[in-house]
Amino acid sequence: MDHSVEPLIAEADLKQKVTELARRISADYAGKSLLVVGVLKGAFVFCADLLRQFQGVDAQVDFIASSSYGAATESSGAVKILKDLDTAVEGRHVLLVEDIVDTGLTLRYLRDHIERQQPASVRICVLLDKPSRRQVDVPVDYVGFEIPDEFVVGYGIDWAERYRYLPYIGVVRFKGG
């Protein structure tokens, strides 16, 4: 399928926003132990950059992987866990870090999955929020950017495993179809 990728959020803007989010999270969890749960694969770059900016937070990291897209450009709505946490969350403060909240179905599923394990708290941090696509309400505590209903790639986010390497967020534009 013929397509192009047009920049939406520049690398410098991403860096500035990650620093801002890390400062807010660091202030909220100062002196506390925090388990940061990155959602694979899309949030791995964002999660790593966020962790490196924390100050005064005793942070550990784990990852969870789920699937609801496959090679499609729209979520199927059926969420399944591909890799569960290796760390016990009971009694812990958990920060779920996701690349994008779209319909809300995946994020709500993952939040509910973690909450069933009785953490002390669960907060959610997303890089990108697409509110026009929301199907279910899910509370997001930290939001990087609100974006329009476009299919985006870059900064860890892919389309059929492509474009994760881009240092910016871009919009996929399909030609002639």
Side-chain angles (χ1 to χ4, degrees):
M1 189 177 303
D2 198 20
H3 66 280
S4 63
V5 177
E6 298 174 4
L8 178 66
I9 303 171
E11 181 177 7
D13 295 331
L14 288 169
K15 287 180 179 179
Q16 181 179 355
K17 185 60 72 171
V18 169
T19 299
E20 175 189 312
L21 289 169
R23 282 187 185 134
R24 287 181 50 210
I25 293 164
S26 294
D28 290 349
Y29 290 97
K32 296 181 181 173
S33 178
L34 179 64
L35 177 61
V36 177
V37 175
V39 180
L40 295 174
K41 297 179 187 172
F44 81 99
V45 174
F46 174 45
C47 189
D49 286 352
L50 193 64
L51 280 164
R52 286 193 292 261
Q53 295 295 321
F54 284 172
Q55 295 181 3
V57 178
D58 176 25
Q60 292 181 308
V61 67
D62 199 349
F63 293 94
I64 193 166
S66 65
S67 176
S68 67
Y69 282 84
T73 58
E74 288 196 28
S75 173
S76 66
V79 181
K80 64 181 178 179
I81 292 180
L82 304 175
K83 182 222 171 287
D84 208 342
L85 297 172
D86 296 320
T87 309
V89 301
E90 185 175 349
R92 308 268 319 259
H93 295 288
V94 176
L95 179 67
L96 188 59
V97 177
E98 176 65 298
D99 55 357
I100 187 167
V101 57
D102 192 320
T103 64
L105 293 168
T106 299
L107 207 47
R108 184 176 71 177
Y109 182 91
L110 293 175
R111 186 204 63 206
D112 291 350
H113 175 72
I114 290 170
E115 285 183 342
R116 283 192 293 275
Q117 298 173 53
Q118 302 179 331
S121 67
V122 178
R123 287 190 180 172
I124 295 173
C125 178
V126 300
L127 178 63
L128 305 174
D129 184 9
K130 226 189 260 190
S132 65
R133 301 261 308 145
R134 199 78 78 248
Q135 293 179 19
V136 297
D137 188 40
V138 60
V140 177
D141 304 281
Y142 308 97
V143 176
F145 299 91
E146 189 172 299
I147 63 169
D149 185 12
E150 301 274 10
F151 190 74
V152 295
V153 294
Y155 197 65
I157 302 168
D158 77 306
W159 171 42
E161 294 300 325
R162 297 173 68 193
Y163 301 114
R164 290 189 198 279
Y165 60 86
L166 295 175
Y168 59 88
I169 300 291
V171 175
V172 178
R173 300 275 185 223
F174 297 98
K175 298 175 183 171

